[in-house]
Amino acid sequence: MFFFTIDMIPEINTICYSYPAPSAFVAGSEPRLLLAGYSELEKAAGPAFFHGSLEQPYITARCLIALSNVVRSSFTLSPAQAGQMKDPIVTAGAEKLRFEGFSQCAGVYARVDVLPGGHRGTFSANGTVNVDFNQPMINALHAIGRSDTMRLTVNATAISVQSRPDESITEKKVPLPMKWIKGLTTVQLFLAASEKMHTLNKVQLRQLFQGIPAGTVKADYYLAVRGNRPAFSPVKTANAVCVGGIHRLRLLEPLLPLADELQVFVHPDMQSTTWQLYFGNVRFSLSLSREAWRGFSGEGAALDALIADVPERLINAMDKYGHVNQEFNATLLAVEEQAGFEQIDQLTARLAAMGLLGFDPDENIYFYRRLPFKLNRIMSLNPRMKDAEQLLAEDKVAIVSQKENKTEARVAGSGVTHTVVIEDDLARCTCTWFAKHQGERGPCKHILAVRKKLN
């Protein structure tokens, strides 16, 4: 019997977990990729989530290598910090396989989707595991040729295998950064709000990526399409898409010769861009935060959605619905269940804040994942919301005036009183946080406290 242990380590801000056995690539006449899994929520042994063959093994292997490159990369951390490898997350459900990961700095999110038609096998159960992508496995993926076949097993239990009779791979205890959990709560909300702006064919996407300047680029660049020719430029023009840290797009370069097309999804406030490559029944998505120095984990996109008090029984019911159905469209779910759109939005936001929901902008659906995460950790990942709760508990929020669409309030601070004005959907505050960010990184704790008092 093998026992997993979870240790919360505040000073290094990670969740630590151990694998019961290493993942491995098993060579032979029919190569297999075996991914050892860990789950905090599913402790009992069960069947493999997926077991079968991949219809596009060469393409899928290249996409997984690109995903591992994202996970190894960092655009803000020191070499020592970036040297700690982290492992991607894989979800099996709704006849799809989804591999996800963040860069070390949490400013780049990547996902590989193997869609129906991209595999031939059995989904014996639905589930999510944190998988071990060690160097021997990556080397084995590099060795897969265009004419090779590969079988894939995604399992939630211990797997002890060898890639060669005389060689085994040992898995070590791996830290799962809290940044990843925080990033997953934010990037999904950005994706859900994004809209498709451009679709580029093979020729166009190669022309476009030739225009990425060399080296690290600190200034913003803009994507514009003139006629049929897309181009990056440091000059902002009408309807151009802003791309911060454009050098991060080089992570896609190894996949460009293989891709059929590229689609670009853009957040309404340009807070993120998503670059999605298509390879038949396999997709590779790369989402970039607004600036290279600021990861998705530092954003506050989920805060407004966490203001309303949602009964835990509804969250649990929604959790079970997501686990059973694996995918859902929030709007259609509200209609089917005869529930209010606002309530469904609040519930999906809670599940996203727990890391239990991802979003597929191509199909406009949420997909369900299970992570080593629990409901009571939401506040610890959102200190501004925690501070807002404290302001209310200490009775430091006073409503000065309230009209039909405008509210003015005073919030006591450390030696100063802040004024908060909320008019329709817009809010402003006199604090230094709001003055610095102007709402681009979510509301300040004073605005959150006032909105929660009004709720």
Side-chain angles (χ1 to χ4, degrees):
M1 181 180 295
F2 188 95
F3 294 93
F4 295 107
T5 59
I6 294 290
D7 301 308
M8 291 299 294
I9 311 176
E11 58 269 23
I12 60 175
N13 214 23
T14 61
I15 301 173
C16 291
Y17 58 96
S18 295
Y19 294 116
S23 298
F25 180 87
V26 181
S29 59
E30 192 177 44
R32 291 179 295 158
L33 178 62
L34 303 175
L35 303 178
Y38 171 82
S39 172
E40 177 184 358
L41 300 177
E42 302 291 344
K43 298 181 177 64
F49 295 149
F50 172 81
H51 179 73
S53 61
L54 299 178
E55 295 294 284
Q56 298 172 268
Y58 180 79
I59 292 293
T60 305
R62 267 60 202 165
C63 286
L64 293 178
I65 292 168
L67 177 63
S68 72
N69 290 337
V70 172
V71 170
R72 292 166 180 242
S73 65
S74 174
F75 298 93
T76 60
L77 302 182
S78 68
Q81 291 172 313
Q84 298 179 349
M85 290 178 56
K86 306 299 184 293
D87 296 324
I89 302 161
V90 58
T91 298
E95 299 295 312
K96 297 172 184 175
L97 295 164
R98 301 183 190 271
F99 298 79
E100 303 173 88
F102 280 92
S103 60
Q104 302 292 302
C105 55
V108 181
Y109 164 77
R111 190 175 74 238
V112 179
D113 296 326
V114 182
L115 307 173
H119 53 73
R120 184 171 52 193
T122 302
F123 287 83
S124 302
N126 301 321
T128 301
V129 294
N130 300 95
V131 300
D132 164 32
F133 265 31
N134 43 47
Q135 191 58 46
M137 180 183 296
I138 294 172
N139 293 341
L141 291 173
H142 275 289
I144 294 175
R146 294 179 182 271
S147 59
D148 290 335
T149 61
M150 182 176 67
R151 294 187 65 82
L152 172 69
T153 297
V154 180
N155 208 314
T157 61
I159 302 175
S160 182
V161 293
Q162 292 182 318
S163 58
R164 295 187 183 91
D166 59 343
E167 182 181 349
S168 62
I169 304 172
T170 302
E171 170 65 12
K172 297 180 180 180
K173 194 173 184 179
V174 180
L176 176 64
M178 199 67 76
K179 272 190 173 185
W180 279 36
I181 300 294
K182 293 180 71 175
L184 287 172
T185 69
T186 299
V187 72
Q188 312 307 330
L189 297 176
F190 281 161
L191 284 171
S194 297
E195 296 183 359
K196 183 169 64 178
M197 291 284 289
H198 299 292
T199 299
L200 308 180
N201 59 33
K202 286 185 176 184
V203 175
Q204 290 174 315
L205 71 89
R206 291 183 187 181
Q207 290 174 340
L208 176 64
F209 276 74
Q210 289 173 356
I212 298 178
T216 299
V217 183
K218 296 183 179 180
D220 288 337
Y221 264 67
Y222 299 87
L223 166 62
V225 179
R226 300 179 182 86
N228 290 323
R229 188 177 180 87
F232 289 122
S233 171
V235 180
K236 183 178 180 180
T237 58
N239 301 319
V241 175
C242 181
V243 185
I246 193 174
H247 52 284
R248 296 176 292 175
L249 284 176
R250 293 197 194 98
L251 290 165
L252 291 176
E253 287 181 340
L255 298 176
L256 298 183
L258 306 172
D260 297 322
E261 69 176 24
L262 167 73
Q263 291 188 1
V264 183
F265 297 82
V266 183
H267 186 268
D269 297 329
M270 303 286 182
Q271 292 303 301
S272 70
T273 56
T274 297
W275 309 74
Q276 197 151 273
L277 295 173
Y278 296 79
F279 313 85
N281 291 311
V282 177
R283 293 186 310 221
F284 186 92
S285 303
L286 193 79
S287 296
L288 306 181
S289 61
R290 175 62 179 79
E291 285 101 3
W293 56 268
R294 189 173 79 211
F296 286 108
S297 61
E299 299 297 342
L303 294 174
D304 280 327
L306 297 177
I307 291 173
D309 291 322
V310 181
E312 191 169 332
R313 62 178 179 81
L314 293 180
I315 297 175
N316 289 332
M318 187 72 163
D319 179 38
K320 291 176 182 177
Y321 179 94
H323 180 62
V324 170
N325 293 276
Q326 291 299 299
E327 294 179 341
F328 64 88
N329 180 299
T331 302
L332 294 179
L333 177 62
V335 173
E336 291 172 1
E337 301 298 322
Q338 296 183 341
F341 293 109
E342 184 176 354
Q343 185 181 54
I344 293 296
D345 286 343
Q346 292 167 353
L347 287 169
T348 53
R350 289 298 168 114
L351 292 187
M354 294 163 63
L356 297 180
L357 292 183
F359 190 80
D360 186 335
D362 202 49
E363 301 183 27
N364 194 34
I365 57 172
Y366 286 94
F367 64 88
Y368 186 81
R369 71 163 87 84
R370 279 193 176 274
L371 292 178
F373 195 68
K374 295 178 180 177
L375 178 64
N376 59 9
R377 294 183 193 152
I378 291 180
M379 286 303 172
S380 67
L381 295 183
N382 294 280
R384 268 180 277 165
M385 180 61 73
K386 187 176 181 179
D387 291 343
E389 296 273 12
Q390 186 67 27
L391 289 172
L392 291 169
E394 295 175 358
D395 198 26
K396 292 185 176 181
V397 180
I399 304 299
V400 177
S401 65
Q402 189 173 10
K403 299 178 182 178
E404 183 176 348
N405 63 342
K406 183 177 181 180
T407 299
E408 184 174 338
R410 302 283 188 270
V411 182
S414 301
V416 64
T417 298
H418 302 288
T419 299
V420 173
V421 177
I422 300 176
E423 191 169 2
D424 295 324
D425 293 331
L426 300 177
R428 59 184 185 274
C429 180
T430 56
C431 70
T432 54
W433 170 272
F434 185 86
K436 181 178 180 180
H437 301 293
Q438 296 294 313
E440 286 190 355
R441 296 185 62 181
C444 65
K445 62 183 179 181
H446 312 106
I447 292 175
L448 286 171
V450 173
R451 282 180 168 165
K452 192 163 183 65
K453 188 177 182 70
L454 294 173
N455 189 59

